[in-house]
Amino acid sequence: MLTRIDHIGIACFDLDKTVEFYRATYGFEVFHSEVNEEQGVREAMLKINETSDGGASYLQLLEPTREDSAVGKWLKKNGEGVHHIAFGTADVDGAADDIRDKGVRVLYEEPRTGSMGSRITFLHPKDCHGVLTELVTAAPSSPTEH
């Protein structure tokens, strides 16, 4: 069962410049930042609000650390903008299995580690009306801002 919009991923060429835009324009602050070597991105999570299920909703700003990363290839083809939408779930494995049973391709055989220690998988955009969709189970405890 999907419980919330966990985050919207936005691909950008310059993470620091994009963070400053969201800070100056909307007042959003960086809640968490990290480099995900496996996915080849440097990212910043900007918390938008808390949710009734104990999670939160974020904007995830993504800058590729290498051109051959998925985000790097996407930016080269599409330019900056919305890259994906992520839905929160208490059980990423179960949600992925349920969705796979409905004929949607799940891109990872087993969920991987995502932002802030979460467990993630992606659904094929061609099966989701052109939208790259991520399923996220948050880590048991959220880190503080850093």
Side-chain angles (χ1 to χ4, degrees), residues 6 12 37 47 51 53 100 106 146:
D6 184 86
C12 61
E37 295 294 345
K47 186 187 276 187
T51 61
D53 67 356
R100 184 183 289 115
V106 178
H146 68 286

Side-chain angles (χ1 to χ4, degrees), residues 7-10 60 62 81-86 122 131-134:
H7 66 271
I8 297 171
I10 299 172
Q60 179 187 44
L62 300 158
V82 175
H83 179 262
H84 67 275
I85 187 167
F122 285 89
V131 179
L132 179 60
T133 304
E134 183 178 5

Side-chain angles (χ1 to χ4, degrees), residues 7 32 34-41 43 60 92-93 108 110-122 134-140:
H7 66 271
H32 176 81
E34 67 181 86
V35 174
N36 185 319
E37 295 294 345
E38 179 183 4
Q39 294 183 22
V41 295
E43 66 179 75
Q60 179 187 44
V92 72
D93 299 276
Y108 301 153
E110 295 291 324
R112 297 181 182 178
T113 301
S115 300
M116 302 183 288
S118 62
R119 296 186 71 237
I120 65 165
T121 195
F122 285 89
E134 183 178 5
L135 305 178
V136 178
T137 296

Side-chain angles (χ1 to χ4, degrees), residues 37-132:
E37 295 294 345
E38 179 183 4
Q39 294 183 22
V41 295
R42 186 168 78 104
E43 66 179 75
M45 297 293 273
L46 287 64
K47 186 187 276 187
I48 307 305
N49 67 317
E50 303 290 334
T51 61
S52 62
D53 67 356
S57 293
Y58 302 90
L59 287 180
Q60 179 187 44
L61 306 179
L62 300 158
E63 174 190 49
T65 58
R66 56 182 198 270
E67 289 183 22
D68 69 339
S69 70
V71 172
K73 292 175 187 175
W74 190 91
L75 267 171
K76 185 175 181 179
K77 180 179 177 183
N78 301 292
E80 293 184 308
V82 175
H83 179 262
H84 67 275
I85 187 167
F87 295 108
T89 177
D91 178 11
V92 72
D93 299 276
D97 288 344
D98 287 347
I99 292 169
R100 184 183 289 115
D101 289 346
K102 294 174 182 167
V104 175
R105 288 174 281 178
V106 178
L107 298 182
Y108 301 153
E109 190 63 35
E110 295 291 324
R112 297 181 182 178
T113 301
S115 300
M116 302 183 288
S118 62
R119 296 186 71 237
I120 65 165
T121 195
F122 285 89
L123 309 178
H124 200 293
K126 289 184 178 177
D127 297 344
C128 300
H129 297 272
V131 179
L132 179 60

